[in-house]
Amino acid sequence: MSQTVAVPQGLPMERDAGPFNPPSEVTRLRGVRPVSPMAFPDGHQGWLVTGYEAVRQLMADTRFSSRGDIGVMHVPFETPGMPAATEPSPPMPGVFIAMDPPDHTRLRRRLIGAFTVKRMKQLEEQIIDITERQLEELAHLTPPVDLVKAFALPVPSLVICEMLGVPYADRETFQVNSATFLERDVSLEDKMGALGALTTYLAELVTSKRATPDEDILSDLAAHDDLTIEELTGAAFLLLLAGHETTANMLALGTFALLENPEQRAELRANPELLPDAVEELLRYLSIGDIFYRYATEDIELGGETIGKGSTVVVSLLAANHDPQRFDNPDALDIHRKARGHLSFGHGVHQCLGQQLARIEMRAGFGGLLRRFPTLQLAIPAGDVRLRTDMNIYGVHELPVTWTETAP
């Protein structure tokens, strides 16, 4: 049965089946037609891909370009973290997630060494130490406390600042500007102002790293003479943004999900060996980075449909990660599930470079919270928690929590 979804105001984004599950309209479409024609507000026809197998195949196929200036039609929505396009424009130098090989390959190759599993293992003790110090500070506060401000945001910010060589004292500048940049309803002028402030700050920083290198990732990058200051600035912007926004939202939203599933939280606290699988399941279940765009560089067959050259393709990782064809009872959180194979870190050449770092931070964060705060609970009704439905990275704006005792 042929079916087209009309999107008069934009993509269905509200998680109306609960704070953790896909929009009901997207779920319905996935069941009817996982690769579905979609009418964009400006009248042109594109595609919405929601099925697990189709999304995985698309992300592995480099004929689907990541460059917003490839398609014959511009995108009438915002891509994650980027303003809505009004005309095709080349990607920002250094922001390699918006590039295709070989440009993407050249920049990513410079960073692979900094994010190897071995390098992350070496950093694990340092990350645990940062997390434990923040937990100690949290334990000294008088509840109720906003867990986002007191824990979920500081931990990944401290970690990424240390790794990149960004002074942690400057965190307020980049946190405020990155939040403005990622908010959907901010004016283009304010958004570009935030981007300008961030890139100006980072350009000065990478220039100083090139002149006086230190033991950090930005210094390592700056040592490559083939990378321009503009490319270094773009790469630093991407790493800083991705390095604190995504993990911060996973820690906060993941804690919310565990508080809403008290039996699983209790089991996880009693048996910390379940943490690695629980982290994978939370990544799948929450899918905080949901909507991505690709552009067909030629006519391509996908899921029994022909996607024409130049078509804009909208990809929902949340819908794919909740596909019952791939995961049993997908809308339930199950810390015993073997959820590896989820698409929350993407797939193919653009698979997230910092995924091992994120896993370590989440294991340390969730494990530490459960251990130190056995009586942790929401300080407000769950329905009053402010969800980040207005942001390109999903999560909670605040998570007021309370407790009656702490453990050593």
Side-chain angles (χ1 to χ4, degrees):
M1 173 178 146
S2 178
Q3 185 154 355
T4 299
V5 54
V7 200
Q9 300 299 326
L11 285 165
M13 296 294 288
E14 294 286 338
R15 300 191 182 198
D16 52 5
F20 312 118
N21 294 324
S24 53
E25 174 67 3
V26 170
T27 298
R28 183 185 66 80
L29 269 172
R30 186 190 57 214
V32 175
R33 200 172 178 183
V35 180
S36 174
M38 187 172 89
F40 286 84
D42 67 354
H44 84 260
Q45 290 289 314
W47 295 85
L48 175 62
V49 184
T50 52
Y52 177 89
E53 287 302 332
V55 168
R56 198 169 188 275
Q57 185 182 332
L58 179 149
M59 298 190 91
D61 191 335
T62 53
R63 294 176 299 170
F64 287 104
S65 172
S66 297
R67 288 182 55 173
D69 58 336
I70 291 288
V72 294
M73 290 135 343
H74 64 266
V75 180
F77 307 123
E78 294 174 354
T79 50
M82 299 300 286
T86 51
E87 59 185 48
S89 57
M92 180 178 160
V95 181
F96 50 91
I97 58 165
M99 295 177 178
D100 296 332
D103 294 330
H104 167 268
T105 313
R106 180 177 70 91
L107 280 156
R108 186 178 168 110
R109 192 176 286 145
R110 297 296 191 206
L111 280 164
I112 284 173
F115 289 95
T116 59
V117 176
K118 183 181 177 184
R119 178 90 178 261
M120 290 303 107
K121 280 285 183 191
Q122 291 168 347
L123 283 168
E124 189 159 6
E125 278 188 33
Q126 199 176 343
I127 291 165
I128 290 169
D129 187 49
I130 286 170
T131 307
E132 290 298 322
R133 287 203 305 268
Q134 203 61 39
L135 285 165
E136 187 63 28
E137 284 193 29
L138 181 62
H140 283 90
L141 298 176
T142 303
V145 169
D146 173 20
L147 196 74
V148 173
K149 187 177 180 183
F151 182 73
L153 188 55
V155 167
S157 296
L158 279 160
V159 170
I160 201 65
C161 280
E162 198 149 317
M163 286 185 68
L164 294 181
V166 175
Y168 187 61
D170 297 343
R171 68 193 180 281
E172 283 196 19
T173 303
F174 72 72
Q175 283 171 359
V176 168
N177 284 317
S178 65
T180 302
F181 184 69
L182 287 168
E183 194 169 341
R184 284 206 183 95
D185 296 330
V186 166
S187 71
L188 186 60
E189 184 181 359
D190 286 347
K191 193 163 280 212
M192 296 315 286
L195 176 61
L198 268 173
T199 51
T200 299
Y201 167 75
L202 290 169
E204 291 171 0
L205 185 65
V206 295
T207 302
S208 72
K209 296 284 184 191
R210 181 160 271 178
T212 316
D214 209 337
E215 295 291 318
D216 56 64
I217 289 175
L218 292 186
S219 294
D220 292 350
L221 269 182
H224 294 290
D225 293 336
D226 64 317
L227 297 180
T228 66
I229 291 295
E230 290 76 22
E231 287 177 320
L232 288 170
T233 300
F237 163 75
L238 180 59
L239 292 169
L240 187 62
L241 204 66
H244 81 277
E245 277 285 345
T246 50
T247 309
N249 284 293
M250 271 302 303
L251 285 171
L253 192 66
T255 301
F256 183 23
L258 288 170
L259 292 176
E260 287 294 278
N261 290 269
E263 288 180 8
Q264 299 212 32
R265 181 188 50 159
E267 192 176 356
L268 192 54
R269 184 173 187 274
N271 187 2
E273 289 178 8
L274 293 171
L275 261 173
D277 282 344
V279 164
E280 298 305 316
E281 170 65 352
L282 284 164
L283 284 160
R284 178 204 69 83
Y285 182 61
L286 302 175
S287 300
I288 57 163
D290 177 13
I291 299 298
F292 290 85
Y293 295 86
R294 293 292 185 265
Y295 310 93
T297 58
E298 58 184 80
D299 291 354
I300 306 169
E301 292 291 320
L302 183 71
E305 309 283 355
T306 301
I307 296 180
K309 180 179 179 179
S311 293
T312 299
V313 185
V314 183
V315 182
S316 173
L317 299 187
L318 174 65
N321 278 334
H322 283 245
D323 188 344
Q325 299 285 329
R326 175 61 177 81
F327 300 103
D328 292 335
N329 195 15
D331 292 345
L333 178 69
D334 178 4
I335 59 171
H336 294 281
R337 190 194 306 272
K338 301 299 179 187
R340 286 190 183 269
H342 65 76
L343 298 171
S344 296
F345 289 122
H347 183 61
V349 297
H350 287 285
Q351 193 168 40
C352 176
L353 202 55
Q355 59 181 288
Q356 300 305 336
L357 173 65
R359 286 183 170 107
I360 291 168
E361 289 178 280
M362 281 183 274
R363 289 198 298 267
F366 293 130
L369 273 175
L370 292 171
R371 187 186 74 252
R372 294 293 303 270
F373 299 90
T375 58
L376 191 72
Q377 61 185 40
L378 289 176
I380 59 173
D384 292 346
V385 174
R386 288 178 56 232
L387 300 166
R388 286 168 53 111
T389 51
D390 56 336
M391 309 291 279
N392 282 309
I393 303 292
Y394 188 63
V396 294
H397 284 288
E398 296 168 347
L399 192 70
V401 294
T402 187
W403 58 86
T404 54
E405 61 178 289
T406 59

